[in-house]
Amino acid sequence: MRGVEPGVVLALDLGGTQIRAAEVDTEGTVRHRLSVATPVAHGAEAIVAACTDLVAEARVASEADHSAHGAVLGVGISAPGPVDPFKGVIVDPPNLGATFRDIPLADRVAAASGLPAFLDRDTQVAAMGEGAFGAARGCPDYIYVTVSTGIGGAIVSDGRLLRGPDGGAGEIGHLLVDRTGPVCGCGARGHLEAIASGVAIARAARAAIERGASPTLAGMADAAGPAFGAREVVAAADGGDEVAATIVDDACDAFAQSCISLVDVFDPSLVVVGGSLASGLGDRLLEPARDAVARLAFAMPARRVRIVPTMLGDDVGLLGAGVLVRDRLAAADTRVP
């Protein structure tokens, strides 16, 4: 990268339950991992303060041995969408509380740290990480999908992230699966996220409990209390509960049908699947998708495409944030006469 000096990046991964920070180098090594619980209940300013404090702690740890790894070049921020990646603003996230709206987090972090800071949507950042260090390394055409509490994604075509004029391209969770299906969090019916996300699976299980359809799920819900969710439903399905198995299989089928659409529309070489729910389901999620694409997608991409799990696990956002900083610094340098 012309003009981008050797060094390390501070990565900040903001999530609804946890904020993580670390140092990331050019080889994809993650050091000095730090984390705190996201103080959602205390409002937007508390979340921003937690972010800036964690970056400061990571910087102290990094600079203690910077002679070995290089100077700190900047801060990369992975954040829940929707975001304005060009202005570094988190617009209207569903999981950071009612007061967290239109927060210019990149500017706030830059002002607090004295370092350039860049922000992008978490799924875009994850796709950057997988492309640089993970399952999509060396692949110019791939789709990243995260299946977790919600469902999101990113699309890379000819080596470039598709962003759209507002930076919001790649919201794979809002693919239509069933026009008469359950209401999605966005207000529309039958989106993939409304059927196959962790929230959707838990909601379907609670509806089954209310109907008296599954004593097993009812007992698990009583034991787990407010924490009852998709993990318990998957465990019940694995244990032989037919109602839970139907819910999980329906979610996996919705994911498979969406993969057909993604392959037909975007012609990728890879579909990389990450997220906590995808990790828990493993081949129970991926094999139906592979089979559906092989049978029903257009013949040419169906023969080529592979549907694979992420290689980077929990570090995908941190590693992608490192790539984000280097890409933005390099892009800024190319604009200098």
Side-chain angles (χ1 to χ4, degrees), residues 139-258:
C139 180
D141 297 281
Y142 64 95
I143 294 172
Y144 176 81
V145 187
T146 179
V147 183
S148 188
T149 303
I151 294 178
I155 299 151
V156 176
S157 180
D158 197 22
R160 296 184 179 185
L161 274 169
L162 297 185
R163 295 189 179 278
D166 303 312
E171 286 287 2
I172 287 166
H174 299 281
L175 285 169
L176 179 63
V177 176
D178 180 359
R179 290 186 300 165
T180 61
V183 177
C184 183
C186 70
R189 282 192 175 275
H191 285 175
L192 177 62
E193 185 167 286
I195 301 170
S197 67
V199 167
I201 288 172
R203 183 176 59 233
R206 289 193 179 279
I209 292 168
E210 290 174 6
R211 297 193 306 269
S214 173
T216 298
L217 287 174
M220 297 177 82
D222 286 342
F228 177 79
R231 176 164 33 185
E232 287 74 23
V233 183
V234 173
D238 290 342
D241 185 82
E242 292 185 4
V243 173
T246 296
I247 293 169
V248 172
D249 290 345
D250 189 47
C252 293
D253 181 66
F255 176 77
Q257 299 308 311
S258 294

Side-chain angles (χ1 to χ4, degrees), residues 289-335:
R290 292 166 180 149
D291 177 67
V293 167
R295 289 186 297 106
L296 299 171
F298 293 150
M300 288 180 64
R303 284 194 294 267
R304 180 186 59 254
V305 70
R306 293 184 295 122
I307 300 174
V308 300
T310 175
M311 287 179 58
L312 302 181
D314 290 342
D315 281 342
V316 67
L318 297 173
L319 288 164
V323 178
L324 171 66
V325 171
R326 294 178 187 281
D327 283 356
R328 294 284 185 91
L329 291 176
D333 181 67
T334 62
R335 292 194 290 267

Side-chain angles (χ1 to χ4, degrees), residues 12 14 19-21 35-39 43-57 105 109:
L12 180 70
L14 171 59
I19 306 171
R20 305 172 69 219
S35 65
V36 296
T38 308
E45 285 305 311
I47 296 173
V48 173
C51 289
T52 55
D53 289 348
L54 206 63
V55 168
E57 290 183 48
L105 186 61
V109 169

